[in-house]
Amino acid sequence: MTLTETTLTLLQDLIKNGCVNDLTADSGQEVRNADTLEAFFAGSGVRVERYEPHPGRVSVAFTVEGDGGEPLTLLGHTDVVPVDEAKWTRDPFGAEIDGGRLYGRGATDMLYITAAMAACVRDVALSGARPSGDLTFVACADEEARGGLGAKWLAEHASFSWANCLSEEGGSHLPVSSDALVVVVGEKGAAQRRLTVHGDAGHGSTPHGRDLAVSRIAEVARRVAGVAPLRADDLWHDYVKAWKFDPETEAALLSGSGYSAFGELEQYSHAMSHLTVAPTVLRAGGAINVLPSTAWLELDIRPLPGQTQEEVDEVLVEALGDLADSVEITHLICEDGTVSPTSGPLFDAICATFDEFFPGVPVVPTIAAGGSDLRFARRSGGVGYGFALHGRSETLGSVLGQLHSHDESVALEDVDLTARAYRSLIRRFLGA
């Protein structure tokens, strides 16, 4: 089979295994995809290292040993998010091909990349060519739950290199007349908060004159939602410039207004340039005839690289104003954002590979609004980039729209392009 055919067959097998991570320790059962991948690499001569920090939550590293030069590590996760089967028009785990697309949970996030990585690394192993540095493909468990039983655990216990890493998601196109290809160089962090308020308890039939916790938490939610100002760094400036807007629109965007000009990428573009504060969980009371004395609100807050947890608290306190003294702020999951340089051997290899497939198309570095396993590479002192490759019809917006969606799918053209792009980049970076 060709590289693309091999990738496609493996992708279908990975989807059919249905390794659904519902954020509980016993879910995922990535052991199924780990076993599939071990069978895929059987007889190839790679070094295999299997890790199981919790029963069924298996990650596996497959390494083609090199000659001591710069290593390259490909991080592909094997878990997928849950599905609402009633909203799907196809079997979420059927891996059905129709109309030039392959359908299934995880098709885009990120099993098509995982399959391409595996196919390319096996090809190098079977070729007998020795790369200049170690080439490792890691099938990571638990990415969808922030990697506690996957990449986070591996960063603390595994022996492979984190110096130069690739993972999801890149290589889609900006919807501009001159075209532009996206490479993900960083991602936002986490600054989750719980805001708690207290009020008067009492019978629901006599609310007059009482300090109502529910009313207070509603006002807290109103004040903190969407409060952060624009942070206009070089990445934001270059991203806006790449769209080639008219001068008036460009000036407005560079100063933090007019985001509707981005169309389907309005929300993403706003997130790329702001600390985002999203009220997501609200709790108060239990009985309909009792005034609750406590209410709390949880916030999914995503800081940009360089923004500290202290800055997040300052933003919240300022937004709360005269309510600040009556609101308890509790830190939940906190992780700083991470970013890699837009220069260096791996970044240059990405740009050269893009130019091979789409000559003359500019490359635009971006920040991911969500998280990926690449943050563990950056925290370990390495560099990490999101890398794949899509056809011209697949914009950044259309690819992001597939993530965690009903009837998730990936274009067969993108499976082919991504597999061939990984093979090309491996040759360029490792000489294999």
Side-chain angles (χ1 to χ4, degrees):
M1 289 193 293
T2 67
L3 176 66
T4 297
E5 290 169 339
T6 299
T7 300
L8 186 60
T9 299
L10 179 59
L11 170 58
Q12 290 178 295
D13 290 341
L14 297 177
I15 290 173
K16 290 175 181 177
N17 283 335
C19 297
V20 175
N21 187 345
D22 66 8
L23 311 188
T24 62
D26 293 328
S27 68
Q29 293 300 302
E30 295 91 338
V31 61
R32 295 192 289 271
N33 274 338
D35 289 347
T36 293
L37 287 163
E38 285 203 49
F40 180 77
F41 277 94
S44 66
V46 298
R47 183 176 77 242
V48 180
E49 298 166 287
R50 187 178 175 106
Y51 306 95
E52 190 169 8
H54 185 87
R57 309 309 294 270
V58 178
S59 298
V60 191
F62 305 89
T63 299
V64 182
E65 294 183 358
D67 285 331
E70 281 291 312
L72 179 62
T73 302
L74 313 179
L75 302 170
H77 72 78
T78 58
D79 60 328
V80 301
V81 297
V83 298
D84 182 350
E85 293 200 36
K87 300 292 180 62
W88 282 64
T89 63
R90 306 167 187 269
D91 179 357
F93 305 105
E96 173 189 350
I97 294 175
D98 183 39
R101 302 189 70 87
L102 188 152
Y103 291 82
R105 175 55 87 217
T108 289
D109 185 14
M110 65 169 285
L111 295 180
Y112 82 101
I113 304 175
T114 300
M117 291 172 168
C120 289
V121 171
R122 191 182 73 162
D123 258 14
V124 172
L126 291 173
S127 74
R130 191 172 178 89
S132 59
D134 285 357
L135 171 62
T136 301
F137 160 64
V138 188
C140 298
D142 203 35
E143 191 274 345
E144 296 294 356
R146 302 194 68 83
L149 296 172
K152 182 178 186 297
W153 189 93
L154 293 171
E156 297 166 355
H157 298 91
S159 60
F160 58 82
S161 174
W162 296 86
N164 302 288
C165 293
L166 298 175
S167 191
E168 56 184 343
E169 166 77 61
S172 55
H173 301 251
L174 290 185
V176 292
S177 58
S178 62
D179 200 3
L181 278 163
V182 167
V183 58
V184 180
V185 301
E187 60 194 63
K188 302 180 79 173
Q192 296 177 358
R193 299 291 188 270
R194 178 180 293 139
L195 307 187
T196 304
V197 302
H198 302 279
D200 296 333
H203 199 286
S205 65
T206 56
H208 178 70
R210 298 185 190 273
D211 183 1
L212 302 177
V214 171
S215 296
R216 185 180 294 270
I217 202 66
E219 176 61 14
V220 166
R222 187 193 68 80
R223 292 190 185 191
V224 301
V227 294
L230 169 76
R231 196 188 73 170
D233 57 10
D234 289 344
L235 288 177
W236 175 245
H237 182 271
D238 293 345
Y239 175 77
V240 172
K241 290 284 188 181
W243 283 74
K244 300 187 180 300
F245 290 119
D246 63 83
E248 182 178 353
T249 301
E250 181 178 283
L253 291 167
L254 290 174
S255 64
S257 61
Y259 281 81
S260 61
F262 290 116
E264 64 180 354
L265 286 170
E266 178 179 359
Q267 285 75 29
Y268 166 78
S269 301
H270 181 274
M272 182 181 167
S273 55
H274 288 75
L275 172 83
T276 54
V277 182
T280 54
V281 179
L282 182 64
R283 293 285 186 270
I288 197 169
N289 62 342
V290 178
L291 299 175
S293 59
T294 302
W296 48 266
L297 171 72
E298 288 185 347
L299 305 173
D300 182 1
I301 302 177
R302 306 294 178 110
L304 288 158
Q307 292 180 322
T308 67
Q309 301 296 324
E310 291 75 19
E311 287 178 65
V312 172
D313 288 337
E314 290 170 4
V315 167
L316 294 176
V317 168
E318 182 178 355
L320 290 169
D322 60 350
L323 290 179
D325 290 341
S326 64
V327 178
E328 299 170 5
I329 301 178
T330 304
H331 288 211
L332 304 176
I333 294 175
C334 296
E335 295 183 304
D336 291 339
T338 60
V339 65
S340 295
T342 54
S343 61
L346 185 53
F347 183 83
D348 293 346
I350 291 170
C351 293
T353 302
F354 281 166
D355 191 64
E356 175 187 340
F357 287 85
F358 293 96
V361 172
V363 176
V364 181
T366 63
I367 296 291
S372 79
D373 288 335
L374 287 170
R375 68 189 185 279
F376 300 107
R378 301 186 190 107
R379 289 177 192 165
S380 299
V383 297
Y385 301 98
F387 179 74
L389 193 58
H390 298 268
R392 288 186 183 274
S393 62
E394 293 290 348
T395 66
L396 177 59
S398 67
V399 173
L400 292 177
Q402 287 293 329
L403 305 183
H404 301 186
S405 67
H406 306 313
D407 285 345
E408 180 183 352
S409 67
V410 63
L412 299 185
E413 179 187 15
D414 296 345
V415 177
D416 170 64
L417 283 169
T418 297
R420 291 193 292 121
Y422 265 97
R423 181 172 60 184
S424 176
L425 187 143
I426 289 168
R427 288 172 175 167
R428 184 170 280 109
F429 191 76
L430 295 178

